[in-house]
Amino acid sequence: MYLEDKDLVSIQEVRNLVRQAKNAQRELAQMSQEQIDTIVKVVAKACYDERERLAKMAVEETGFGRWQDKVIKNTVASKVLLEHIKNMKTVGILREDTEKKIIEVGVPVGVIAGLIPSTNPTSTVMYKALISLKAGNSIVFSPHPSALKCIVETVEIIKRAAKTAGCPDGAISVIEKTSIAATNELMRHKDTNLILATGGTAMVKAAYSSGTPAIGVGPGNGPAFIERSADIPTAVRHIIESKTFDNGVICASEQSVIVEEDMKDIVIAEFKKQGAYFLPPADAKKLGEFIILPSGAMNPKMVGKTPQIIAERAGISVPADARVLIAEECRVGKDAPYSMEKLAPILGFYTVKTWEEACDLSIKILHHEGVGHTLSIHSKNDEIIREFALKKPVSRLLVNTPAALGGVGGTTGLFPAFTLGCGAVGGSATSDNVSPHNLYNIRRVAYGTSEYTDFLKAENLMDSYRGTTTDTNISSGPTSSTNEDELVELLVKQVLAKLGQ
């Protein structure tokens, strides 16, 4: 009996998809900005129209989050994103500098590998497809196996819409026979030009180790500092709204709260008033042992779940109306689970004496995990906000806003994105909220603006030049900055020297 080798079949599927993507991208590269923009507009509308159905599919398949919040994420990844990119120049002539005599031309990178996580599956597909197409690229998606159905359905919607607008077949595709071998083949294929990696640390490291240029992002672990000048009820509301949004699966969401000692009781009272539940020490210890595995990895059984489901699985009891679970913490490190990233409605709670100590603690937390990603501060003191901006090893400092939607550009002026760069400090190729501007190269056309002898004159080297050269082919040529008498004298000396040979 013949048994199909899953890895070989999936590798062959990838090779076919990449070949088709390369051919399609050649056609995309010939299109005008207007043609590209038409495709993008049609695709964004199709995604927006299907936002609710796809959100429900994602929750049903993965078990992560809330479908209502995934509708909002799909909206950000389609309608809101389109508003930000619709007027961008990304292909053809981008800019002309008449003074410096430079023309900049947008050149697509080619075939993009889009790695998709299970936490934000449909919204990330929409987002990566739109920014790739906008820059004139084709894209092949590698889906997380636990979100395969909703990812494939999202890709099919995009493909159908794009085709009606003139997009070539093969420009958008997805691996349906998923395997690690298939993803590795996609990342290492000679015709894959760039990897957009969103997912776990191991996958992002694999992308950077593939030999193909990659834009990947590391884990988030952002602290939220409530400074004494903050509007406390609003700050607490923002944090709870953010940490409960899609049950905490956005990596930019807050992971811990830092307050000053003399505000502690007021802040705790406000959190309790708004539905947070502070765990007794014994339950906090038990939950901590559940949420982080002995290996140090996040327990997938709690990701994107409600406080009640998490508590039940951890073997503790919490109120039926608890919105967020909070545990007091004073440590940072591998033995302190609440100091780590928790993609669920769970927060660590730290107390410090001063804002300077809060500054140091947040840096310590970030360097433990999440360096380069995101931090939030609630404050009306611009001087302290600026101090945080100058010292924190993050790419996004969010001020007086829910971090989950603020980080992805929903409640801030940041570019709407579901790939959030962590900069060099976080092992990422960029600190940007990744946009179409990260997905094309620039060809520069540069006209000559000066001559060799202009430099000789500027550095007072003309006499030295006259005394040593006998090459009649080296000439300054007439320019506005060259003295004609000196040029004639130079040419005469060169001719006499030649005749004397």
Side-chain angles (χ1 to χ4, degrees):
M1 180 179 177
Y2 172 74
L3 295 176
E4 182 178 86
D5 187 309
K6 181 181 177 182
D7 284 351
L8 290 178
V9 171
S10 64
I11 289 171
Q12 187 57 56
E13 181 188 18
V14 168
R15 291 173 179 172
N16 294 340
L17 294 178
V18 172
R19 183 179 65 253
Q20 294 163 13
K22 184 177 181 180
N23 292 334
Q25 200 280 318
R26 289 195 184 102
E27 294 185 48
L28 285 172
Q30 301 303 314
M31 291 185 173
S32 66
Q33 186 74 73
E34 184 180 7
Q35 290 173 304
I36 291 291
D37 289 349
T38 298
I39 294 171
V40 167
K41 182 178 179 181
V42 170
V43 168
K45 183 181 184 305
C47 291
Y48 181 70
D49 289 345
E50 295 279 10
R51 65 194 183 282
E52 183 173 319
R53 183 172 71 88
L54 292 172
K56 291 177 178 178
M57 280 188 68
V59 172
E60 182 179 355
E61 184 177 6
T62 67
F64 296 157
R66 304 188 300 183
W67 72 263
Q68 296 91 339
D69 292 335
K70 290 191 187 296
V71 170
I72 295 173
K73 289 197 290 189
N74 288 345
T75 298
V76 171
S78 56
K79 184 179 180 179
V80 175
L81 176 59
L82 178 64
E83 286 301 308
H84 279 72
I85 68 176
K86 65 181 182 181
N87 295 322
M88 279 186 185
K89 288 185 177 181
T90 54
V91 298
I93 294 178
L94 307 178
R95 288 172 290 275
E96 292 189 60
D97 188 328
T98 55
E99 183 179 345
K100 294 181 179 179
K101 293 187 177 181
I102 290 178
I103 300 173
E104 294 183 349
V105 180
V107 182
V109 298
V111 177
I112 292 176
L115 279 53
I116 308 299
S118 56
T119 48
N120 306 302
T122 58
S123 53
T124 306
V125 168
M126 295 175 187
Y127 154 72
K128 288 187 178 181
L130 285 169
I131 64 172
S132 297
L133 290 170
K134 176 67 179 182
N137 304 297
S138 57
I139 184 165
V140 180
F141 288 107
S142 175
H144 193 287
S146 67
L148 178 61
K149 291 180 182 178
C150 64
I151 290 173
V152 169
E153 180 61 18
T154 307
V155 172
E156 287 301 315
I157 290 167
I158 292 170
K159 285 168 61 176
R160 289 195 297 269
K163 188 169 184 178
T164 66
C167 185
D169 290 336
I172 309 106
S173 60
V174 58
I175 302 169
E176 297 191 42
K177 300 182 186 301
T178 59
S179 70
I180 293 176
T183 301
N184 286 335
E185 177 68 16
L186 176 61
M187 292 193 296
R188 296 171 182 171
H189 197 287
K190 63 181 179 62
D191 290 327
T192 297
N193 302 105
L194 180 70
I195 303 168
L196 275 181
T198 308
T201 301
M203 185 269 285
V204 172
K205 285 184 177 179
Y208 278 120
S209 302
S210 67
T212 302
I215 297 176
V217 299
N221 190 31
F225 175 42
I226 303 178
E227 191 266 328
R228 66 176 60 253
S229 68
D231 179 330
I232 293 175
T234 301
V236 169
R237 175 173 60 81
H238 281 162
I239 292 170
I240 291 180
E241 285 176 347
S242 177
K243 199 57 179 166
T244 58
F245 183 81
D246 209 18
N247 287 338
V249 298
I250 291 184
C251 56
S253 64
E254 300 87 346
Q255 304 298 322
S256 54
V257 177
I258 304 172
V259 300
E260 293 163 274
E261 278 184 356
D262 57 357
M263 298 172 55
K264 178 181 177 180
D265 292 342
I266 298 173
V267 173
I268 288 177
E270 188 62 40
F271 264 108
K272 289 179 177 179
K273 180 181 176 181
Q274 296 194 33
Y277 177 68
F278 280 74
L279 295 159
D283 285 351
K285 184 176 185 299
K286 198 168 184 179
L287 180 62
E289 292 169 349
F290 170 76
I291 61 177
I292 303 297
L293 300 173
S295 65
M298 195 187 315
N299 190 340
K301 292 182 180 180
M302 65 97 180
V303 173
K305 300 297 189 294
T306 65
Q308 291 70 31
I309 291 175
I310 294 169
E312 181 182 357
R313 293 182 178 180
I316 63 174
S317 178
V318 302
D321 60 353
R323 300 176 65 194
V324 175
L325 305 180
I326 301 180
E328 291 199 53
E329 183 60 89
C330 60
R331 304 162 301 159
V332 176
K334 292 181 179 180
D335 60 343
Y338 296 101
S339 71
M340 303 175 73
E341 183 182 43
K342 306 163 290 295
L343 298 183
I346 301 171
L347 289 165
F349 191 90
Y350 292 86
T351 306
V352 295
K353 289 184 172 61
T354 65
W355 72 262
E356 290 92 346
E357 189 178 335
C359 189
D360 293 339
L361 176 59
S362 62
I363 292 174
K364 186 177 181 181
I365 291 171
L366 288 163
H367 276 294
H368 171 55
E369 186 177 43
V371 66
H373 206 290
T374 304
L375 179 145
S376 61
I377 182 171
H378 297 268
S379 173
K380 296 177 183 177
N381 189 321
D382 289 336
E383 184 177 341
I384 292 177
I385 291 169
R386 288 178 183 274
E387 284 296 314
F388 266 66
L390 290 169
K391 296 178 181 178
K392 298 300 168 293
V394 292
S395 300
R396 280 155 292 279
L397 175 62
L398 307 175
V399 182
N400 300 329
T401 191
L405 280 173
V408 301
T411 60
T412 63
L414 295 174
F415 182 83
F418 288 91
T419 298
L420 308 180
C422 298
V425 69
S428 181
T430 181
S431 59
D432 294 344
N433 279 24
V434 176
S435 78
H437 290 319
N438 299 96
L439 304 184
Y440 62 82
N441 295 316
I442 296 178
R443 178 183 300 131
R444 291 174 175 84
V445 181
Y447 288 77
T449 58
S450 61
E451 297 289 343
Y452 170 48
T453 49
D454 294 338
F455 289 96
L456 293 175
K457 289 194 65 180
E459 299 299 323
N460 295 316
L461 296 173
M462 284 296 291
D463 289 341
S464 172
Y465 173 80
R466 291 169 182 156
T468 59
T469 183
T470 58
D471 187 350
T472 57
N473 291 323
I474 299 178
S475 172
S476 66
T479 71
S480 58
S481 61
T482 302
N483 185 294
E484 289 188 9
D485 291 337
E486 289 183 353
L487 180 58
V488 170
E489 182 182 352
L490 174 62
L491 291 173
V492 168
K493 285 185 176 181
Q494 289 177 336
V495 170
L496 291 174
K498 190 73 173 179
L499 292 174
Q501 288 181 346

